[in-house]
Amino acid sequence: MARGPSYNVPYRRRREGKTNYHRRKRLLLSGLPRLVARKTNKHIIAQMITASIEGDKVIASAHSSELRKKYGWLGSLKNLPAAYLTGLLCGYRALKKNVKKAILDIGLHSPTKGARVFAVMKGCLDAGVEIPHGEEILPDENRIKGQHISEYASILSSNQELYAKRFSEYLSRGLRPEDITEHFSAVKERIIAEFEGKETK
């Protein structure tokens, strides 16, 4: 392996584009657990992780697939509302493990305003976990509830063929995309009720 006084081969995970070690070092120096927010082509993943000499340890985690299996979420498992609900679920689980403060770790995702990784953080914040952030980076409340999806569906409803094509997955699960904001609120209440003991409607 090539090494010299002015050149070192980057670590494998850096070569593969999986880890930014300079950013990771800054996160670890904070001394706080990391809220690791990741998105795949189909799901959103949120994990509360601490670093140790032996390796990273997962304290609490949530996967967007749980939203459908346990809480009856009928929408997409990778969109903005699903990201928020996954973060909310992870936040409550972290609080149960006595994690009250954390720092956001978005890995190699670009820090774009209103991105899904920041929706995950917003969910964690609303659960009660303290995470340093700037308010301007968070997604709009209406987008978190899925209002943009509802409005888009209303526009497409005049073209039933295109409407059925774009929202086939929603419709196959029995959810009209125009009703997603109400559905979001109902699922959010179920998650809150589980951890705070509040009755759902």
Side-chain angles (χ1 to χ4, degrees):
M1 186 176 289
R3 288 185 181 276
S6 61
Y7 178 78
N8 281 318
V9 174
Y11 291 127
R12 177 182 58 81
R13 288 185 62 84
R14 182 57 195 160
R15 294 199 309 270
E16 294 174 353
K18 293 180 178 179
T19 302
N20 182 328
Y21 283 97
H22 293 291
R23 185 182 296 173
R24 177 181 168 84
K25 181 180 178 181
R26 291 198 300 271
L27 292 172
L28 296 182
L29 287 175
S30 71
L32 295 171
R34 289 156 31 232
L35 169 61
V36 177
R38 299 289 185 268
K39 57 186 176 69
T40 70
N41 288 336
K42 293 184 178 180
H43 297 101
I44 302 291
I45 304 164
Q47 296 177 311
M48 202 65 75
I49 293 177
T50 57
S52 67
I53 298 298
E54 296 79 19
D56 288 356
K57 294 181 179 178
V58 179
I59 304 171
S61 67
H63 196 281
S64 61
S65 62
E66 296 178 75
L67 301 176
R68 183 163 300 149
K69 294 174 183 176
K70 192 171 182 180
Y71 302 100
W73 174 248
L74 300 175
S76 168
L77 297 177
K78 61 181 181 179
N79 62 9
L80 206 63
Y84 172 87
L85 293 171
T86 304
L88 185 70
L89 185 56
C90 183
Y92 277 122
R93 288 175 176 171
L95 287 175
K96 285 188 72 173
K97 297 293 180 68
N98 206 32
V99 176
K100 297 178 180 178
K101 293 183 179 181
I103 190 166
L104 181 65
D105 179 350
I106 62 172
L108 299 178
H109 293 304
S110 299
T112 308
K113 179 181 178 181
R116 282 172 283 180
V117 289
F118 295 121
V120 171
M121 180 177 70
K122 174 61 175 168
C124 236
L125 288 166
D126 288 353
V129 180
E130 293 181 33
I131 304 172
H133 66 283
E135 291 293 327
E136 69 281 354
I137 202 74
L138 297 176
D140 179 73
E141 288 285 347
N142 290 328
R143 287 182 63 81
I144 285 175
K145 295 176 183 177
Q147 187 172 318
H148 60 296
I149 298 171
S150 176
E151 291 174 353
Y152 180 55
S154 296
I155 293 170
L156 283 189
S157 61
S158 58
N159 185 336
Q160 283 299 310
E161 184 179 347
L162 185 57
Y163 174 86
K165 182 179 179 180
R166 291 284 169 86
F167 295 105
S168 58
E169 289 189 16
Y170 286 76
L171 297 170
S172 67
R173 289 189 289 268
L175 174 65
R176 293 178 68 251
E178 295 92 333
D179 300 331
I180 193 169
T181 54
E182 292 81 3
H183 180 58
F184 168 87
S185 298
V187 173
K188 181 179 177 181
E189 284 183 12
R190 288 180 203 135
I191 295 173
I192 293 172
E194 179 180 342
F195 293 94
E196 296 187 7
K198 295 179 180 179
E199 293 185 4
T200 57
K201 296 179 180 178

Short mmCIF file of all heavy atoms in Angstrom, two decimals, residues 53-102:
data_model
loop_
_atom_site.label_atom_id
_atom_site.label_comp_id
_atom_site.label_asym_id
_atom_site.label_seq_id
_atom_site.Cartn_x
_atom_site.Cartn_y
_atom_site.Cartn_z
N ILE A 53 -14.40 2.36 22.92
CA ILE A 53 -13.18 1.77 22.39
C ILE A 53 -13.48 0.51 21.61
O ILE A 53 -12.86 0.21 20.59
CB ILE A 53 -12.19 1.45 23.54
CG1 ILE A 53 -11.78 2.75 24.28
CG2 ILE A 53 -10.95 0.74 23.01
CD1 ILE A 53 -11.06 3.76 23.41
N GLU A 54 -14.47 -0.26 22.09
CA GLU A 54 -14.83 -1.51 21.42
C GLU A 54 -15.58 -1.28 20.12
O GLU A 54 -15.65 -2.15 19.26
CB GLU A 54 -15.71 -2.38 22.34
CG GLU A 54 -15.02 -2.85 23.62
CD GLU A 54 -14.96 -1.77 24.68
OE1 GLU A 54 -15.76 -0.81 24.58
OE2 GLU A 54 -14.11 -1.86 25.58
N GLY A 55 -16.16 -0.10 19.95
CA GLY A 55 -16.94 0.21 18.75
C GLY A 55 -18.21 0.95 19.10
O GLY A 55 -18.51 1.16 20.28
N ASP A 56 -18.96 1.36 18.10
CA ASP A 56 -20.22 2.06 18.34
C ASP A 56 -21.25 1.14 18.97
O ASP A 56 -21.34 -0.05 18.63
CB ASP A 56 -20.77 2.62 17.03
CG ASP A 56 -19.97 3.81 16.53
OD1 ASP A 56 -19.03 4.23 17.24
OD2 ASP A 56 -20.28 4.31 15.43
N LYS A 57 -22.06 1.71 19.88
CA LYS A 57 -23.12 0.95 20.53
C LYS A 57 -24.46 1.65 20.30
O LYS A 57 -24.57 2.85 20.54
CB LYS A 57 -22.85 0.82 22.04
CG LYS A 57 -21.61 -0.01 22.36
CD LYS A 57 -21.40 -0.14 23.86
CE LYS A 57 -20.17 -0.99 24.16
NZ LYS A 57 -19.92 -1.09 25.62
N VAL A 58 -25.45 0.91 19.84
CA VAL A 58 -26.78 1.46 19.58
C VAL A 58 -27.59 1.43 20.88
O VAL A 58 -27.81 0.37 21.46
CB VAL A 58 -27.52 0.66 18.49
CG1 VAL A 58 -28.90 1.24 18.26
CG2 VAL A 58 -26.72 0.68 17.19
N ILE A 59 -28.01 2.62 21.33
CA ILE A 59 -28.80 2.72 22.56
C ILE A 59 -30.28 2.57 22.24
O ILE A 59 -31.02 1.89 22.95
CB ILE A 59 -28.58 4.10 23.23
CG1 ILE A 59 -27.09 4.33 23.48
CG2 ILE A 59 -29.36 4.20 24.53
CD1 ILE A 59 -26.77 5.74 23.92
N ALA A 60 -30.73 3.23 21.19
CA ALA A 60 -32.13 3.17 20.78
C ALA A 60 -32.19 3.33 19.27
O ALA A 60 -31.32 3.97 18.68
CB ALA A 60 -32.94 4.27 21.46
N SER A 61 -33.21 2.75 18.66
CA SER A 61 -33.33 2.86 17.21
C SER A 61 -34.78 2.77 16.79
O SER A 61 -35.64 2.30 17.54
CB SER A 61 -32.52 1.76 16.51
OG SER A 61 -33.08 0.49 16.76
N ALA A 62 -35.05 3.23 15.59
CA ALA A 62 -36.39 3.14 15.00
C ALA A 62 -36.22 3.01 13.49
O ALA A 62 -35.31 3.60 12.90
CB ALA A 62 -37.22 4.37 15.34
N HIS A 63 -37.10 2.23 12.88
CA HIS A 63 -37.08 1.99 11.44
C HIS A 63 -38.46 2.32 10.90
O HIS A 63 -39.47 1.97 11.53
CB HIS A 63 -36.73 0.52 11.18
CG HIS A 63 -36.31 0.22 9.79
ND1 HIS A 63 -37.22 0.08 8.76
CD2 HIS A 63 -35.08 0.03 9.24
CE1 HIS A 63 -36.56 -0.19 7.63
NE2 HIS A 63 -35.27 -0.23 7.89
N SER A 64 -38.52 2.98 9.76
CA SER A 64 -39.83 3.41 9.26
C SER A 64 -40.78 2.25 8.97
O SER A 64 -42.00 2.43 8.97
CB SER A 64 -39.66 4.28 8.01
OG SER A 64 -39.02 3.57 6.97
N SER A 65 -40.25 1.05 8.76
CA SER A 65 -41.13 -0.11 8.54
C SER A 65 -41.99 -0.39 9.76
O SER A 65 -43.09 -0.95 9.65
CB SER A 65 -40.31 -1.35 8.19
OG SER A 65 -39.44 -1.70 9.25
N GLU A 66 -41.52 0.02 10.95
CA GLU A 66 -42.30 -0.17 12.18
C GLU A 66 -43.57 0.66 12.17
O GLU A 66 -44.56 0.30 12.82
CB GLU A 66 -41.47 0.22 13.41
CG GLU A 66 -40.24 -0.63 13.65
CD GLU A 66 -39.47 -0.15 14.85
OE1 GLU A 66 -39.93 -0.38 15.99
OE2 GLU A 66 -38.41 0.50 14.65
N LEU A 67 -43.54 1.78 11.47
CA LEU A 67 -44.70 2.66 11.44
C LEU A 67 -45.91 1.94 10.88
O LEU A 67 -47.04 2.10 11.36
CB LEU A 67 -44.41 3.91 10.59
CG LEU A 67 -43.24 4.79 11.04
CD1 LEU A 67 -43.02 5.92 10.05
CD2 LEU A 67 -43.49 5.34 12.44
N ARG A 68 -45.69 1.11 9.85
CA ARG A 68 -46.80 0.38 9.24
C ARG A 68 -47.19 -0.84 10.08
O ARG A 68 -48.36 -1.09 10.32
CB ARG A 68 -46.42 -0.06 7.82
CG ARG A 68 -47.55 -0.76 7.09
CD ARG A 68 -47.29 -0.79 5.59
NE ARG A 68 -47.20 0.55 5.06
CZ ARG A 68 -46.45 0.91 4.01
NH1 ARG A 68 -45.74 0.00 3.39
NH2 ARG A 68 -46.41 2.14 3.58
N LYS A 69 -46.19 -1.57 10.54
CA LYS A 69 -46.46 -2.80 11.27
C LYS A 69 -47.13 -2.56 12.62
O LYS A 69 -48.01 -3.30 13.03
CB LYS A 69 -45.15 -3.57 11.49
CG LYS A 69 -44.51 -4.07 10.20
CD LYS A 69 -43.15 -4.69 10.49
CE LYS A 69 -42.45 -5.13 9.22
NZ LYS A 69 -41.08 -5.64 9.49
N LYS A 70 -46.68 -1.51 13.31
CA LYS A 70 -47.14 -1.31 14.70
C LYS A 70 -48.14 -0.17 14.87
O LYS A 70 -48.98 -0.21 15.77
CB LYS A 70 -45.92 -1.06 15.59
CG LYS A 70 -46.22 -1.14 17.07
CD LYS A 70 -44.95 -1.11 17.89
CE LYS A 70 -45.26 -1.23 19.37
NZ LYS A 70 -44.05 -1.19 20.21
N TYR A 71 -48.04 0.86 14.01
CA TYR A 71 -48.86 2.05 14.22
C TYR A 71 -49.87 2.32 13.10
O TYR A 71 -50.57 3.32 13.14
CB TYR A 71 -47.96 3.27 14.44
CG TYR A 71 -47.02 3.08 15.61
CD1 TYR A 71 -45.70 2.71 15.41
CD2 TYR A 71 -47.47 3.26 16.92
CE1 TYR A 71 -44.84 2.52 16.48
CE2 TYR A 71 -46.62 3.07 17.99
CZ TYR A 71 -45.31 2.70 17.76
OH TYR A 71 -44.46 2.50 18.84
N GLY A 72 -49.91 1.46 12.10
CA GLY A 72 -50.92 1.59 11.05
C GLY A 72 -50.67 2.66 10.02
O GLY A 72 -51.62 3.12 9.36
N TRP A 73 -49.42 3.09 9.85
CA TRP A 73 -49.10 4.12 8.84
C TRP A 73 -49.30 3.54 7.44
O TRP A 73 -48.74 2.50 7.10
CB TRP A 73 -47.66 4.59 9.03
CG TRP A 73 -47.15 5.54 8.00
CD1 TRP A 73 -46.19 5.30 7.07
CD2 TRP A 73 -47.55 6.90 7.79
NE1 TRP A 73 -45.97 6.42 6.30
CE2 TRP A 73 -46.79 7.41 6.73
CE3 TRP A 73 -48.48 7.73 8.41
CZ2 TRP A 73 -46.93 8.71 6.27
CZ3 TRP A 73 -48.63 9.03 7.95
CH2 TRP A 73 -47.85 9.52 6.90
N LEU A 74 -50.09 4.22 6.62
CA LEU A 74 -50.42 3.73 5.28
C LEU A 74 -49.70 4.48 4.16
O LEU A 74 -49.81 4.11 3.00
CB LEU A 74 -51.94 3.83 5.06
CG LEU A 74 -52.81 3.05 6.04
CD1 LEU A 74 -54.28 3.33 5.77
CD2 LEU A 74 -52.52 1.56 5.95
N GLY A 75 -48.97 5.53 4.52
CA GLY A 75 -48.27 6.31 3.51
C GLY A 75 -46.93 5.69 3.15
O GLY A 75 -46.61 4.56 3.53
N SER A 76 -46.14 6.44 2.41
CA SER A 76 -44.80 5.99 2.02
C SER A 76 -43.92 5.86 3.27
O SER A 76 -44.10 6.59 4.24
CB SER A 76 -44.17 6.99 1.05
OG SER A 76 -42.80 6.72 0.87
N LEU A 77 -42.96 4.94 3.22
CA LEU A 77 -42.04 4.73 4.35
C LEU A 77 -40.74 5.50 4.19
O LEU A 77 -39.82 5.34 4.98
CB LEU A 77 -41.74 3.23 4.50
CG LEU A 77 -42.93 2.33 4.84
CD1 LEU A 77 -42.50 0.88 4.89
CD2 LEU A 77 -43.57 2.75 6.15
N LYS A 78 -40.69 6.36 3.15
CA LYS A 78 -39.44 7.09 2.91
C LYS A 78 -39.64 8.59 2.73
O LYS A 78 -38.69 9.32 2.47
CB LYS A 78 -38.74 6.54 1.67
CG LYS A 78 -39.57 6.67 0.39
CD LYS A 78 -38.85 6.08 -0.80
CE LYS A 78 -39.68 6.24 -2.07
NZ LYS A 78 -39.00 5.69 -3.26
N ASN A 79 -40.90 9.07 2.89
CA ASN A 79 -41.14 10.50 2.66
C ASN A 79 -40.94 11.33 3.93
O ASN A 79 -40.54 10.81 4.98
CB ASN A 79 -42.53 10.72 2.05
CG ASN A 79 -43.65 10.27 2.98
OD1 ASN A 79 -43.44 9.93 4.14
ND2 ASN A 79 -44.87 10.25 2.45
N LEU A 80 -41.20 12.62 3.85
CA LEU A 80 -40.95 13.54 4.96
C LEU A 80 -41.78 13.21 6.20
O LEU A 80 -41.23 13.17 7.31
CB LEU A 80 -41.22 14.98 4.49
CG LEU A 80 -40.47 16.09 5.22
CD1 LEU A 80 -38.98 15.96 5.01
CD2 LEU A 80 -40.95 17.45 4.74
N PRO A 81 -43.10 12.96 6.07
CA PRO A 81 -43.88 12.59 7.27
C PRO A 81 -43.35 11.31 7.93
O PRO A 81 -43.27 11.24 9.17
CB PRO A 81 -45.29 12.38 6.71
CG PRO A 81 -45.35 13.23 5.49
CD PRO A 81 -43.98 13.13 4.90
N ALA A 82 -42.95 10.32 7.13
CA ALA A 82 -42.41 9.07 7.69
C ALA A 82 -41.09 9.32 8.40
O ALA A 82 -40.81 8.73 9.45
CB ALA A 82 -42.22 8.04 6.58
N ALA A 83 -40.27 10.23 7.88
CA ALA A 83 -38.99 10.57 8.52
C ALA A 83 -39.25 11.20 9.88
O ALA A 83 -38.57 10.87 10.88
CB ALA A 83 -38.21 11.53 7.63
N TYR A 84 -40.21 12.12 9.94
CA TYR A 84 -40.54 12.77 11.22
C TYR A 84 -41.03 11.74 12.24
O TYR A 84 -40.57 11.72 13.39
CB TYR A 84 -41.60 13.84 11.01
CG TYR A 84 -42.13 14.42 12.30
CD1 TYR A 84 -41.50 15.50 12.91
CD2 TYR A 84 -43.24 13.86 12.93
CE1 TYR A 84 -41.98 16.01 14.12
CE2 TYR A 84 -43.72 14.36 14.13
CZ TYR A 84 -43.08 15.44 14.71
OH TYR A 84 -43.55 15.94 15.91
N LEU A 85 -41.95 10.88 11.84
CA LEU A 85 -42.52 9.89 12.76
C LEU A 85 -41.46 8.89 13.23
O LEU A 85 -41.46 8.47 14.40
CB LEU A 85 -43.67 9.14 12.08
CG LEU A 85 -44.91 9.99 11.76
CD1 LEU A 85 -45.89 9.20 10.90
CD2 LEU A 85 -45.59 10.46 13.05
N THR A 86 -40.52 8.54 12.35
CA THR A 86 -39.42 7.65 12.73
C THR A 86 -38.53 8.33 13.77
O THR A 86 -38.11 7.71 14.75
CB THR A 86 -38.59 7.24 11.50
OG1 THR A 86 -39.45 6.64 10.53
CG2 THR A 86 -37.51 6.25 11.88
N GLY A 87 -38.25 9.61 13.58
CA GLY A 87 -37.46 10.37 14.55
C GLY A 87 -38.17 10.50 15.88
O GLY A 87 -37.55 10.41 16.95
N LEU A 88 -39.49 10.72 15.83
CA LEU A 88 -40.29 10.82 17.05
C LEU A 88 -40.22 9.52 17.85
O LEU A 88 -40.01 9.53 19.07
CB LEU A 88 -41.74 11.13 16.69
CG LEU A 88 -42.72 11.39 17.84
CD1 LEU A 88 -42.42 12.73 18.51
CD2 LEU A 88 -44.17 11.37 17.34
N LEU A 89 -40.35 8.41 17.15
CA LEU A 89 -40.30 7.10 17.79
C LEU A 89 -38.92 6.84 18.41
O LEU A 89 -38.82 6.38 19.56
CB LEU A 89 -40.62 6.02 16.75
CG LEU A 89 -40.75 4.57 17.22
CD1 LEU A 89 -41.78 4.44 18.33
CD2 LEU A 89 -41.09 3.67 16.04
N CYS A 90 -37.87 7.17 17.67
CA CYS A 90 -36.51 7.00 18.18
C CYS A 90 -36.26 7.90 19.39
O CYS A 90 -35.63 7.49 20.37
CB CYS A 90 -35.50 7.30 17.08
SG CYS A 90 -33.77 7.03 17.56
N GLY A 91 -36.78 9.12 19.33
CA GLY A 91 -36.61 10.06 20.44
C GLY A 91 -37.23 9.56 21.73
O GLY A 91 -36.62 9.63 22.81
N TYR A 92 -38.44 9.04 21.65
CA TYR A 92 -39.11 8.51 22.84
C TYR A 92 -38.35 7.31 23.40
O TYR A 92 -38.21 7.15 24.62
CB TYR A 92 -40.55 8.12 22.53
CG TYR A 92 -41.51 9.29 22.59
CD1 TYR A 92 -42.29 9.64 21.49
CD2 TYR A 92 -41.66 10.04 23.76
CE1 TYR A 92 -43.17 10.70 21.54
CE2 TYR A 92 -42.53 11.10 23.82
CZ TYR A 92 -43.29 11.43 22.71
OH TYR A 92 -44.16 12.49 22.79
N ARG A 93 -37.87 6.45 22.52
CA ARG A 93 -37.11 5.28 22.97
C ARG A 93 -35.79 5.69 23.62
O ARG A 93 -35.34 5.08 24.58
CB ARG A 93 -36.86 4.33 21.79
CG ARG A 93 -38.11 3.61 21.35
CD ARG A 93 -37.88 2.76 20.12
NE ARG A 93 -39.09 2.01 19.78
CZ ARG A 93 -39.24 1.32 18.65
NH1 ARG A 93 -38.27 1.30 17.75
NH2 ARG A 93 -40.36 0.66 18.42
N ALA A 94 -35.17 6.76 23.08
CA ALA A 94 -33.92 7.26 23.66
C ALA A 94 -34.16 7.82 25.06
O ALA A 94 -33.37 7.60 25.98
CB ALA A 94 -33.32 8.33 22.75
N LEU A 95 -35.27 8.55 25.23
CA LEU A 95 -35.60 9.10 26.55
C LEU A 95 -35.80 7.99 27.58
O LEU A 95 -35.42 8.14 28.74
CB LEU A 95 -36.86 9.96 26.46
CG LEU A 95 -36.70 11.33 25.77
CD1 LEU A 95 -38.05 12.01 25.64
CD2 LEU A 95 -35.74 12.23 26.56
N LYS A 96 -36.39 6.87 27.14
CA LYS A 96 -36.58 5.74 28.05
C LYS A 96 -35.24 5.16 28.50
O LYS A 96 -35.15 4.56 29.58
CB LYS A 96 -37.42 4.65 27.37
CG LYS A 96 -38.91 4.98 27.27
CD LYS A 96 -39.70 3.80 26.78
CE LYS A 96 -39.83 2.73 27.84
NZ LYS A 96 -40.75 1.64 27.41
N LYS A 97 -34.20 5.34 27.67
CA LYS A 97 -32.85 4.88 28.02
C LYS A 97 -32.04 6.00 28.67
O LYS A 97 -30.82 5.91 28.77
CB LYS A 97 -32.14 4.37 26.77
CG LYS A 97 -32.81 3.15 26.12
CD LYS A 97 -32.70 1.93 26.99
CE LYS A 97 -33.36 0.72 26.33
NZ LYS A 97 -32.66 0.24 25.14
N ASN A 98 -32.75 7.06 29.07
CA ASN A 98 -32.13 8.19 29.77
C ASN A 98 -31.18 9.02 28.90
O ASN A 98 -30.23 9.64 29.41
CB ASN A 98 -31.41 7.72 31.04
CG ASN A 98 -31.32 8.81 32.08
OD1 ASN A 98 -32.19 9.66 32.20
ND2 ASN A 98 -30.25 8.81 32.84
N VAL A 99 -31.43 9.06 27.60
CA VAL A 99 -30.66 9.93 26.71
C VAL A 99 -31.46 11.22 26.54
O VAL A 99 -32.52 11.22 25.92
CB VAL A 99 -30.43 9.27 25.33
CG1 VAL A 99 -29.72 10.24 24.39
CG2 VAL A 99 -29.62 8.00 25.49
N LYS A 100 -30.96 12.30 27.10
CA LYS A 100 -31.69 13.57 27.07
C LYS A 100 -31.07 14.59 26.12
O LYS A 100 -31.72 15.54 25.72
CB LYS A 100 -31.76 14.16 28.48
CG LYS A 100 -32.52 13.26 29.45
CD LYS A 100 -32.54 13.84 30.85
CE LYS A 100 -33.31 12.92 31.80
NZ LYS A 100 -33.31 13.44 33.18
N LYS A 101 -29.80 14.37 25.78
CA LYS A 101 -29.12 15.27 24.85
C LYS A 101 -28.39 14.44 23.80
O LYS A 101 -27.90 13.35 24.09
CB LYS A 101 -28.11 16.16 25.59
CG LYS A 101 -28.74 17.17 26.53
CD LYS A 101 -27.67 18.05 27.14
CE LYS A 101 -28.28 19.10 28.08
NZ LYS A 101 -27.25 19.98 28.67
N ALA A 102 -28.31 14.97 22.59
CA ALA A 102 -27.64 14.26 21.50
C ALA A 102 -27.14 15.27 20.48
O ALA A 102 -27.41 16.47 20.59
CB ALA A 102 -28.58 13.25 20.85
#
